[in-house]
Amino acid sequence: RAELRTDVPFGGFFDDPTVAGTAALVARCRAGDGPGARTDAATAAALTAPPDPARSAALSSAQARLWFLHQLNPADVSYHLPVTLRIRGLLDVELLDRVLTELTDRHDMLRSTFAERDCRPVQTIGARGPRLERIDLSGRPDPERARALAADRADRPFDLEHGPVLRLTLIRLAADDHVLGLVLHHIAGDGWSLEVLLAELSELYAAYAAGEPSPLPPLELGYLDHVRQAEGRDDADALGYWTDQLAGAPVLDLPTDHPRPPV
C-alpha cells in the first residue's frame, strides 16, 4: 500500500499466493476491477451497480475494523449483539411488526449492507429493513425450546454484503406469552444503540396502542452524516487535539518481557 499507493484486499493474497498473482491483483485494484474471479450474480451486481451517493459512504474507522475481522472469519459470531425479551400479556403482533418496520425506516444503519467496490469497503443504505420472523409454539408451549431458538438466531453468522444486519424473531408461546429476539451486528450499532432501539420500541408501541401519534421527533442526522463529517476532518488537527489532551499523562509501567524503551 505504501509503495504502490493501492489498497489490496487481504483475502486476495490467498486466491493466488504468488508474486505473479499479487502483481495481477494489484493491477486489477488499480484498474478498479477489484479482486475479480467472482461469478456469483448477486455479488457481481452488488460490486458493479453504481451506488447512490446519498445512500452510500465509506466506513468509519470502527466499522472498518469490524469489516476486516468479518473478512478473516465470516462465521465468527463474537460481534453479535443479542437481546431476548419475554413479553407477558396480550400482544398485538401486527402492531409490533408495524413498529419494528418504522424503527428500521427511522434508523438507516438497520438497513445497511457492506460490500467491496474498487478494493474498498462501502456501506449502502437499503430501502427496506429486515422482516419479523414469526414462530408459533402455542400448540406445545416450551420456554426452553423458545430460548434455544432465540440462541440459534443469535449464533447464525450475518451476511454483511447482502444483509440484513439486524435479525428479528417473535416466538409465540401463548396469546399472552411471547419471546422477542433481536440480534444486531456490531458493525451497525452498539450497546447504546440497542438501548435507544428498545426505548423507542416501547414508546412507539404504547403510543400507537393508545391511538396516539408517534412521540419520537424526526432525526436530523444519520450515521452516514457522521462518517462523512469524519472523512472531512483534518487528521493533523485531530492528532494535535489528542497530543494536547494527553500532554503530561502518566505512562502505565506494566510488566513486560523487556524494559520499555525511551521512545
Side-chain angles (χ1 to χ4, degrees):
R1 180 181 294 117
E3 290 295 328
L4 301 177
R5 303 284 187 243
T6 303
D7 280 315
V8 177
F10 185 76
F13 288 105
F14 296 97
D15 294 336
D16 189 353
T18 65
V19 174
T22 300
L25 174 63
V26 170
R28 289 197 298 272
C29 288
R30 281 183 158 181
D33 295 331
R38 299 187 182 186
T39 57
D40 180 79
T43 301
L47 289 173
T48 58
D52 181 352
R55 290 181 171 269
S56 298
L59 276 58
S60 68
S61 59
Q63 289 178 314
R65 293 193 292 270
L66 289 163
W67 182 84
F68 175 79
L69 292 171
H70 184 78
Q71 304 310 302
L72 287 180
N73 185 7
D76 185 19
V77 299
S78 302
Y79 295 97
H80 291 191
L81 304 176
V83 174
T84 305
L85 304 174
R86 188 78 176 267
I87 304 175
R88 298 185 185 274
L90 293 178
L91 177 68
D92 187 333
V93 176
E94 298 304 324
L95 178 56
L96 175 66
D97 197 356
R98 172 191 169 191
V99 168
L100 290 170
T101 299
E102 188 164 324
L103 288 175
T104 56
D105 289 342
R106 174 178 172 82
H107 297 287
D108 53 10
M109 289 311 301
L110 301 181
R111 309 190 309 278
S112 59
T113 55
F114 300 82
E116 186 180 300
R117 292 195 180 95
D118 298 333
C119 297
R120 292 179 180 274
V122 175
Q123 57 185 317
T124 301
I125 306 304
R128 298 192 62 181
R131 295 182 178 274
L132 175 64
E133 179 189 16
R134 305 184 191 187
I135 301 175
D136 192 348
L137 299 182
S138 58
R140 296 182 59 186
D142 183 350
E144 288 300 323
R145 186 184 174 197
R147 278 191 283 268
L149 287 170
D152 171 72
R153 296 328 188 251
D155 289 337
R156 288 185 182 181
F158 282 99
D159 180 352
L160 297 185
E161 184 171 351
H162 301 104
V165 293
L166 173 66
R167 195 172 290 138
L168 303 168
T169 306
L170 181 67
I171 304 171
R172 174 188 170 100
L173 296 173
D176 59 351
D177 193 0
H178 294 78
V179 174
L180 177 62
L182 299 88
V183 189
L184 179 66
H185 194 284
H186 195 16
I187 199 171
D190 54 17
W192 286 0
S193 305
L194 285 174
E195 289 184 13
V196 171
L197 185 63
L198 293 175
E200 292 186 349
L201 170 62
S202 178
E203 289 183 55
L204 272 182
Y205 185 92
Y208 289 163
E212 300 173 355
S214 169
L216 304 178
L219 297 178
E220 297 181 2
L221 297 173
Y223 192 74
L224 293 192
D225 298 299
H226 159 70
V227 172
R228 294 188 178 110
Q229 184 182 43
E231 283 183 323
R233 187 177 57 229
D234 188 331
D235 288 341
D237 290 342
L239 180 60
Y241 170 82
W242 286 110
T243 300
D244 292 340
Q245 293 296 312
L246 299 176
V251 176
L252 290 178
D253 188 16
L254 298 175
T256 57
D257 60 345
H258 58 80
R260 182 187 297 273
V263 177

